[in-house]
């Protein structure tokens, strides 16, 4: 028996990627994809790349109607919308992977400071933060998964080994991250237009990006202490991919070779984290279209800083790919099922 999956809010880039992955997943039957805008239109008409992969037509259905069709649902909805939809599926006994930020934060006051008033705060305690490399066993037992943000995924995976081993002065951490324009979503926005983005490279939401509390929450948990970081996102004139360059002052003496060996040990056996060869750093083109996170390391002896470079595809390990990885865990499937596609480029 195949698992019946639905995508609620499936007309954006993340929804497109979910449909692409699930349509080819050997143990999943994709039974529904919702969209108010495109209701009655075949999915492949909106996304021609999916022609021949799915015969689904978009439906404008209620959560109750979709809950009657599926075993697991992906909520590819804007922040503030999932909180009204998720409880319906939870009450119906369905498994939920929420790709919004509505359940990622553990502190309600922090969520409401950075986002909006929460309408289903009772589910905060039920949600598990869906970063499998850190919370695999808890994910397997949960009904509600809060799929991480794209920037947080790249930064948390990059920093976790040095934090767990108390190797850096946490007060010195700086993360500069650059994302492709698909991170802004599919709705037309002037700053995401080709003529606006092409040839440019800029920082945005400096000091006030909503992923900041999510990043700090998880880094604090791994370090076992409370601290803040400097995080600055940038817009890259490419379609997809995130490159995070992370700097921190070392608290202990360690060679680059020792640091590299520690990272290889920390992520040994992880299917989707690849540590770059000693002395090299990743390129977003090497992860594009895949669920991999590539991590490279450097050591600057002049400044006594470690430099960690992390690359992911923002639509895959940063969104849809990681969501399917979480679905595989909560449905007792092989964690890499449906996700073994290699990157698109060299």
């Amino acid at each position: 028996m195949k698992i019946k999956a639905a995508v609620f809010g499936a007309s954006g880039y993340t929804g497109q990627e979910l449909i692409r992955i699930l349509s080819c997943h050997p143990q999943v039957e994709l039974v529904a994809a919702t969209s108010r805008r495109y209701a009655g239109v075949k999915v492949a008409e909106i996304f021609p790349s999916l022609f021949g992969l799915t015969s689904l037509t978009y439906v404008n259905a209620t959560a109750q109607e979709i809950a009657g069709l599926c075993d697991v649902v992906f909520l590819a909805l804007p922040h503030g919308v999932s909180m009204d939809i998720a409880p319906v599926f939870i009450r119906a006994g369905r498994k939920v992977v929420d790709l919004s930020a509505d359940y990622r934060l553990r502190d309600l006051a922090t969520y409401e400071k950075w986002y909006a008033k929460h309408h289903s705060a009772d589910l905060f305690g039920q949600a598990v933060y869906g970063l499998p490399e850190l919370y695999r066993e808890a994910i397997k037992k949960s009904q509600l998964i809060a799929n991480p943000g794209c920037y947080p995924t790249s930064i948390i995976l990059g920093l976790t080994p040095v934090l767990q081993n108390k190797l850096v002065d946490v007060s010195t951490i700086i993360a500069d991250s650059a994302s492709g324009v698909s991170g802004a979503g599919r709705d037309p926005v002037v700053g995401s237009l080709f003529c606006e983005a092409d040839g440019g490279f800029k920082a945005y939401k400096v000091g006030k990006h909503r992923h900041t509390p999510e990043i700090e929450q998880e880094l604090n948990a791994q370090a076992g202490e409370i601290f803040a970081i400097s995080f600055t996102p940038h817009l890259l004139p490419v379609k997809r991919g995130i490159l995070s360059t992370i700097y921190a002052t070392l608290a202990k003496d360690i060679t680059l070779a020792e640091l590299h060996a520690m990272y290889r040990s920390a992520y040994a056996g992880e299917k989707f984290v690849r540590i770059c060869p000693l002395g090299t750093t990743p390129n977003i083109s090497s992860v594009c279209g895949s669920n991999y996170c590539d991590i490279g390391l450097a050591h600057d002896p002049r400044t006594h800083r470690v430099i960690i470079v992390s690359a992911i595809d923002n639509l895959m390990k940063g969104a849809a790919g990681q969501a399917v990885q979480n679905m595989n865990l909560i449905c007792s499937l092989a964690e890499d099922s449906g996700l073994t596609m290699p990157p698109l480029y060299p």
Side-chain angles (χ1 to χ4, degrees):
M1 293 289 291
K2 288 190 173 184
I3 291 164
K4 294 182 178 180
V7 182
F8 205 93
S11 59
Y13 293 130
T14 298
Q16 177 189 17
E17 286 294 88
L18 282 167
I19 294 171
R20 179 175 73 91
I21 299 168
L22 295 170
S23 294
C24 300
H25 195 297
Q27 294 151 298
V28 169
E29 178 188 357
L30 183 59
V31 295
T34 77
S35 171
R36 287 180 295 179
R37 182 187 306 175
Y38 299 119
V41 180
K42 286 188 173 296
V43 170
E45 288 186 30
I46 305 303
F47 296 112
S49 62
L50 299 175
F51 180 76
L53 296 180
T54 179
S55 59
L56 279 180
T57 297
Y58 282 115
V59 295
N60 182 15
T62 66
Q64 289 88 346
E65 290 169 333
I66 298 300
L69 300 175
C70 68
D71 304 308
V72 59
V73 65
F74 297 87
L75 303 184
L77 298 166
H79 310 312
V81 178
S82 286
M83 68 176 77
D84 293 323
I85 303 298
V88 177
F89 288 99
I90 295 296
R91 289 194 294 268
R94 304 298 179 253
K95 298 180 187 295
V96 178
V97 181
D98 178 26
L99 286 92
S100 81
D102 285 0
Y103 300 100
R104 292 176 190 161
L105 300 180
R106 299 187 184 95
D107 182 73
L108 180 60
T110 302
Y111 176 88
E112 294 186 340
K113 174 183 176 182
W114 288 83
Y115 291 92
K117 180 70 176 176
H118 208 287
H119 305 150
S120 59
D122 56 309
L123 291 182
F124 258 57
Q126 295 185 40
V128 172
Y129 191 72
L131 194 57
E133 290 78 11
L134 300 184
Y135 300 111
R136 181 170 288 111
E137 296 309 312
I139 291 168
K140 291 178 181 178
K141 302 172 185 176
S142 180
Q143 186 184 356
L144 173 60
I145 304 301
N147 211 62
C150 50
Y151 285 128
T153 294
S154 66
I155 294 169
I156 296 163
L157 290 176
L159 276 167
T160 288
V162 292
L163 293 178
Q164 291 180 340
N165 288 278
K166 310 293 184 184
L167 285 178
V168 297
D169 177 350
V170 295
S171 69
T172 67
I173 296 174
I174 298 171
D176 285 330
S177 301
S179 174
V181 293
S182 59
R186 193 164 182 257
D187 287 338
V189 177
V190 170
S192 300
L193 297 175
F194 175 79
C195 288
E196 300 290 331
D198 185 52
F201 180 56
K202 66 179 182 180
Y204 67 98
K205 294 184 180 178
V206 179
K208 56 184 180 181
H209 195 281
R210 285 175 167 179
H211 282 171
T212 302
E214 179 184 344
I215 295 167
E216 291 178 347
Q217 168 185 277
E218 297 305 317
L219 296 185
N220 289 182
Q222 298 310 309
E225 58 181 302
I226 304 299
F227 60 92
I229 73 163
S230 293
F231 164 58
T232 304
H234 300 74
L235 181 67
L236 275 174
V238 299
K239 289 190 292 186
R240 55 201 296 168
I242 285 178
L243 190 79
S244 290
T245 305
I246 309 159
Y247 309 86
T249 300
L250 287 165
K252 300 177 182 178
D253 289 329
I254 187 171
T255 67
L256 180 57
E258 290 170 334
L259 192 66
H260 187 264
M262 185 191 72
Y263 268 73
R264 286 179 60 85
S265 175
Y267 289 117
E270 291 295 344
K271 297 179 183 295
F272 296 114
V273 180
R274 305 188 298 188
I275 307 304
C276 296
L278 185 64
T280 67
T281 54
N283 189 326
I284 57 172
S285 65
S286 299
V287 296
C288 185
S290 79
N291 199 49
Y292 290 115
C293 173
D294 285 1
I295 299 173
L297 304 162
H299 176 213
D300 185 350
R302 299 177 308 104
T303 59
H304 201 54
R305 290 194 185 104
V306 61
I307 302 164
I308 305 159
V309 183
S310 174
I312 64 170
D313 184 328
N314 57 296
L315 296 177
M316 288 293 290
K317 186 60 174 168
Q322 187 147 259
V324 173
Q325 187 180 354
N326 280 313
M327 179 207 71
N328 287 338
L329 288 170
I330 60 176
C331 293
S332 302
L333 304 177
E335 192 170 331
D336 62 348
S337 187
L339 293 170
T340 56
M341 67 285 285
L344 296 174
Y345 306 117

